[in-house]
Amino acid sequence: VGGQLYLEHAGSPQRLKSTSVRTLIADELDEFAANLTSGDDPVEMLDGRTSAFPATYKRLYISSPQIAGVSRIDGLWQKSDQRRYCVPCPHCGERQPLEWSGLRWNAGAGSRREGVSYVCRECGVLIDEHHKTAMIAAGTWVPENPDATTRGYHLNALYYQLGLGPRWADLVEMWLNAQNDPAKLKTFINDRLAQTWEDPAMRAVKHNIIADRAEQSRMRTGHRQHRR
């Protein structure tokens, strides 16, 4: 089967603009957007590469989210059907996505955290990590915004198969070690939890915008009218 494969990077927007493809795969979209210096909107520019195939194109955008409010992948996620991988609780069978808020742990001896488990949101029973392999095998993708026409998928580091990534205890250790280091905390939230980072500088900008729009007004005093 014939065909062509193009590999480009964020530093070549001119070449991207001159390329037409039926299938588009963009990895680390937020990093691409941050490094794009041509002034183009990255999603619009990439979408345009498939315009020659209006009925058969396929687009796949992959990325860890970055800064809240400017993250391109988060913007696409918000417009998608927002599928999360729901796994059954081994105790009650309730299907649920694995979320950071579900982890529970106790402080063990030394710096290593012990007794890390996951609490079922339905029955409240603690789930040991050794159940995770069977839970993932029995899981399904569930859309939270089913009326959307675009598919979106979300996974975080809690889903790593045993032996193929950090254990839950490792993630807890990373989380605790990052608490006094904003750079580490941002990396953990972006890369491990697949969530956007709320930049304090962005909050300050939003606050200043609101403050700049404020106008002075004369205070009004109320007057009572009495009629006879």
Side-chain angles (χ1 to χ4, degrees):
V1 180
Q4 293 177 310
L5 174 65
Y6 296 94
L7 295 177
E8 299 291 354
H9 57 84
S12 300
Q14 292 77 17
R15 291 187 61 182
L16 282 174
K17 291 179 181 180
S18 62
T19 304
S20 293
V21 296
R22 178 180 283 109
T23 301
L24 172 70
I25 302 175
D27 193 19
E28 290 302 339
L29 177 63
D30 276 12
E31 292 291 344
F32 180 97
N35 289 295
L36 191 63
T37 58
S38 63
D40 296 274
D41 180 274
V43 176
E44 292 294 329
M45 185 182 69
L46 291 169
D47 283 354
R49 300 313 93 221
T50 64
S51 58
F53 307 93
T56 59
Y57 72 82
K58 293 181 180 179
R59 301 170 185 154
L60 174 60
Y61 291 111
I62 308 167
S63 186
S64 297
Q66 295 293 317
I67 305 298
V70 297
S71 169
R72 299 293 178 173
I73 198 66
D74 185 60
L76 292 174
W77 164 257
Q78 297 300 330
K79 297 177 181 178
S80 75
D81 64 1
Q82 301 179 12
R83 298 179 180 223
R84 297 184 186 272
Y85 198 69
C86 294
V87 297
C89 170
H91 305 290
C92 71
E94 172 71 12
R95 291 185 177 272
Q96 56 203 285
L98 297 178
E99 300 176 326
W100 183 249
S101 59
L103 278 189
R104 298 290 185 271
W105 63 86
N106 298 315
S111 61
R112 185 75 176 181
R113 261 53 189 184
E114 300 175 352
V116 179
S117 54
Y118 193 89
V119 61
C120 174
R121 68 182 184 185
E122 178 65 20
C123 67
V125 175
L126 295 178
I127 304 170
D128 292 332
E129 192 173 13
H130 69 80
H131 290 291
K132 187 166 64 174
T133 299
M135 292 166 64
I136 292 175
T140 55
W141 289 102
V142 178
E144 296 181 352
N145 184 30
D147 293 332
T149 57
T150 302
R151 292 187 180 186
Y153 300 86
H154 182 279
L155 276 179
N156 56 47
L158 273 69
Y159 289 89
Y160 272 120
Q161 290 280 12
L162 299 180
L164 297 179
R167 301 285 298 270
W168 289 346
D170 299 324
L171 294 174
V172 169
E173 194 71 21
M174 294 176 194
W175 168 259
L176 295 173
N177 289 337
Q179 292 310 297
N180 296 318
D181 189 326
K184 286 184 178 180
L185 188 58
K186 176 183 180 301
T187 299
F188 184 89
I189 290 175
N190 289 162
D191 294 352
R192 301 300 184 180
L193 302 187
Q195 297 176 357
T196 55
W197 168 258
E198 182 69 26
D199 188 350
M202 291 299 293
R203 290 201 298 268
V205 169
K206 294 176 184 177
H207 174 77
N208 290 338
I209 290 175
I210 295 174
D212 291 343
R213 291 179 179 176
E215 297 179 357
Q216 292 186 351
S217 61
R218 296 178 59 186
M219 294 186 64
R220 297 180 180 180
T221 58
H223 296 279
R224 294 182 179 181
Q225 294 182 349
H226 297 276
R227 294 186 179 183
R228 296 180 179 176

